[in-house]
Amino acid sequence: MTEENRALGTPLGKHPTRVLFLGSGELGKEVTIELMRLGAWVCAADSYAGAPAQQVAHEYRVLDMANADQLRALFDEIQPDIIVPEVEAIATSELAAAAARGAQVVPSAEIAAICMDRERLRVLAHEELGLPTTPYRFAGSLEELREGAQIVGYPCVVKPIMSSSGHGQSVVRSEEDIDCGWRNAQRGGRAGAGKVIVEGFVKFDYEITLLTVRHCGGTSFLEPIGHYQQDGDYRESWQPQPMTAAVRKQAEEIARRITDALGGRGLFGVELFVQGDRVIFSEVSPRPHDTGMVTMISQDLSEFALHVRAILGLPVPNIAFHGPSASRAVVVEGDSNRMEFANLENVLSEPDTQMRIFGKSEIDGRRRMAVLLARGKTVEEAREKTARAYAKLQINVFDRE
Ligand code: AMP
């Protein structure tokens, strides 16, 4: 496939486009489906068998993706044309080595490494690009954390450098809580104990994900997505988030500058806080974002389809938006290998309402298992629809068999 003449083969014929997924969750499952629609051959890897994307891929593999030897062996065996890291806990040195051997890493090995490291990302966003962020300091010890918190002020938020989705994150309200924040971060980091970032706590009016797609024809922005988080995990998202033209312009400007600086092709989830008429950069994911699941009902091409268009080098001439929409995560708690979603005839009884069941077969604690989607005349109506659908949803969790 060259820049001038883009062609795609067939998955089981000679010379298909071979795509290797690293991480096979619900977002990867949707990307896999979109890749298959364009005739790619897909292998989905994860640390366990039966993960959502593995259920729809041509083949799957099980390995520890943070283990460099195992990852190298997988690359040697699969010989992928394209490697799509879907999770952050990956031996990034091996990604770089695969890229040097000619594989296309999405969006690139370097970008994956920067975005998983809160320190590198902050230095790029604030110190190099001058984007507005919360005040922050990095700390490698309890003592440094205490000093950093003094500088950024209380309340503040402590997060492991290597973490995502609220893992190991705590809000520290006063000096007495510092020890607790440190311990939490040491337990919750992806790479085990290590450095932390301490940031000023922002009393934002709302937070958004501005999905930004870098494709062969330039950069396109999706309608901004508002969302509500609980325990660092998204529970509800809606699109478009109402905002003034001036705030939207600032948000797009920040998204353009950070994604231009990162480079590569693909969809990025730029996370921003909005306080009055001020937009503050928080972080960016170099892949579809969970809050963006709303685009499965709000747009002609979902965030997953757009990601695939971009990474295959295909153009995105327009993004057709169908109107105000909402998503609601279905999070189930328990210890079980047998679950059932019931009363669906009522859950899905309203027009323009959909559901996706991810197909995870076990829960041990709390796990996102499905998502409810709805469209309405307004964002409020769409949110009310998903709330009604959620209230009607019966989740039966049976004892382990
Ligand atoms: P993160 O893993 O950094 O995306 O954080 C998860 C969620 O925690 C965000 O979506 C916010 O809702 C909240 N959060 C993170 N950092 C801050 C902050 N500095 N001030 C206020 N809330 C925050």
Side-chain angles (χ1 to χ4, degrees):
M1 198 170 71
T2 66
E3 287 288 315
E4 297 75 36
N5 178 11
R6 290 184 186 84
L8 294 166
T10 56
L12 305 180
K14 295 253 183 262
H15 311 297
T17 303
R18 294 172 68 83
V19 183
L20 174 61
F21 255 83
L22 300 175
S24 301
E26 55 268 39
L27 306 184
K29 177 180 175 183
E30 294 297 333
V31 182
T32 300
I33 292 168
E34 295 297 342
L35 279 162
M36 287 191 153
R37 285 176 163 162
L38 286 170
W41 178 90
V42 184
C43 175
D46 210 317
S47 57
Y48 70 105
Q54 294 178 336
Q55 298 178 28
V56 295
H58 290 99
E59 289 189 26
Y60 73 87
R61 296 290 184 277
V62 175
L63 74 153
D64 173 7
M65 293 174 292
N67 179 308
D69 293 337
Q70 290 186 31
L71 205 56
R72 195 173 324 118
L74 178 71
F75 294 163
D76 287 346
E77 189 219 347
I78 302 292
Q79 299 284 325
D81 299 307
I82 303 177
I83 299 170
V84 188
E86 274 294 310
V87 292
E88 297 185 339
I90 290 175
T92 45
S93 57
E94 285 310 312
L95 287 181
R101 288 196 299 269
Q104 174 191 348
V105 177
V106 171
S108 81
E110 174 77 357
I111 297 168
I114 294 175
C115 292
M116 68 190 275
D117 181 335
R118 293 184 190 273
E119 182 168 11
R120 288 186 71 185
L121 187 57
R122 263 311 150 98
V123 168
L124 171 66
H126 188 68
E127 294 166 32
E128 292 172 25
L129 299 177
L131 298 180
T133 61
T134 54
Y136 61 89
R137 284 291 182 278
F138 303 109
S141 67
L142 180 57
E143 215 25 66
E144 281 176 17
L145 176 60
R146 220 183 286 283
E147 285 166 26
Q150 280 296 340
I151 297 167
V152 304
Y154 293 100
C156 53
V157 186
V158 179
K159 306 172 186 177
I161 293 282
M162 296 289 187
S163 73
S164 61
S165 311
H167 293 296
Q169 180 171 320
S170 31
V171 177
V172 174
R173 302 201 176 274
S174 68
E175 205 171 335
E176 286 90 77
D177 297 342
I178 278 281
D179 286 34
C180 183
W182 174 256
R183 277 199 307 274
N184 227 342
Q186 297 306 307
R187 274 198 304 267
R190 188 170 42 240
K195 228 170 166 182
V196 303
I197 182 171
V198 53
E199 315 181 14
F201 181 86
V202 187
K203 284 207 195 72
F204 49 75
D205 301 328
Y206 55 89
E207 60 181 319
I208 63 166
T209 306
L210 186 57
L211 294 173
T212 303
V213 54
R214 282 177 59 87
H215 52 89
C216 65
T219 295
S220 307
F221 301 106
L222 282 68
E223 291 288 327
I225 295 171
H227 54 94
Y228 166 68
Q229 304 266 331
Q230 194 180 317
D231 310 319
D233 244 353
Y234 120 93
R235 295 303 161 100
E236 252 196 287
S237 70
W238 52 88
Q239 193 189 22
Q241 163 68 43
M243 58 175 65
T244 64
V247 166
R248 183 161 175 165
K249 191 160 166 260
Q250 264 186 72
E252 289 186 355
E253 173 70 19
I254 292 174
R256 183 182 295 280
R257 291 190 55 206
I258 189 74
T259 54
D260 275 356
L262 290 167
R265 279 191 194 146
L267 179 121
F268 295 78
V270 181
E271 296 180 49
L272 304 165
F273 301 144
V274 181
Q275 196 178 33
D277 56 8
R278 225 162 73 87
V279 182
I280 299 161
F281 172 79
S282 175
E283 56 181 17
V284 55
S285 69
R287 60 181 67 90
H289 199 264
D290 50 9
T291 59
M293 284 194 280
V294 66
T295 60
M296 287 192 281
I297 197 161
S298 67
Q299 299 187 167
D300 190 21
L301 295 176
S302 69
E303 62 167 347
F304 310 105
L306 290 168
H307 191 46
V308 166
R309 289 274 279 244
I311 67 186
L312 292 178
L314 306 174
V316 177
N318 71 323
I319 299 170
F321 183 62
H322 296 318
S325 303
S327 83
R328 189 166 185 125
V330 177
V331 179
V332 182
E333 207 162 345
D335 178 15
S336 174
N337 58 359
R338 193 184 148 210
M339 271 146 294
E340 216 174 61
F341 300 95
N343 197 31
L344 297 183
E345 66 281 18
N346 291 315
V347 171
L348 295 174
S349 62
E350 292 196 53
D352 299 324
T353 302
Q354 295 185 30
M355 182 175 190
R356 298 281 193 280
I357 295 173
F358 305 144
K360 298 172 186 171
S361 39
E362 291 202 35
I363 39 171
D364 177 12
R366 215 165 39 197
R367 208 166 184 202
R368 186 168 60 209
M369 302 298 283
V371 68
L372 291 160
L373 305 165
R375 237 182 359 246
K377 284 193 200 67
T378 61
V379 160
E380 289 70 34
E381 195 196 330
R383 288 179 71 185
E384 282 161 16
K385 272 192 194 174
T386 56
R388 280 195 293 274
Y390 187 73
K392 287 186 231 161
L393 182 64
Q394 235 178 54
I395 304 169
N396 301 324
V397 180
F398 300 94
D399 286 345
R400 263 185 193 278
E401 287 179 4

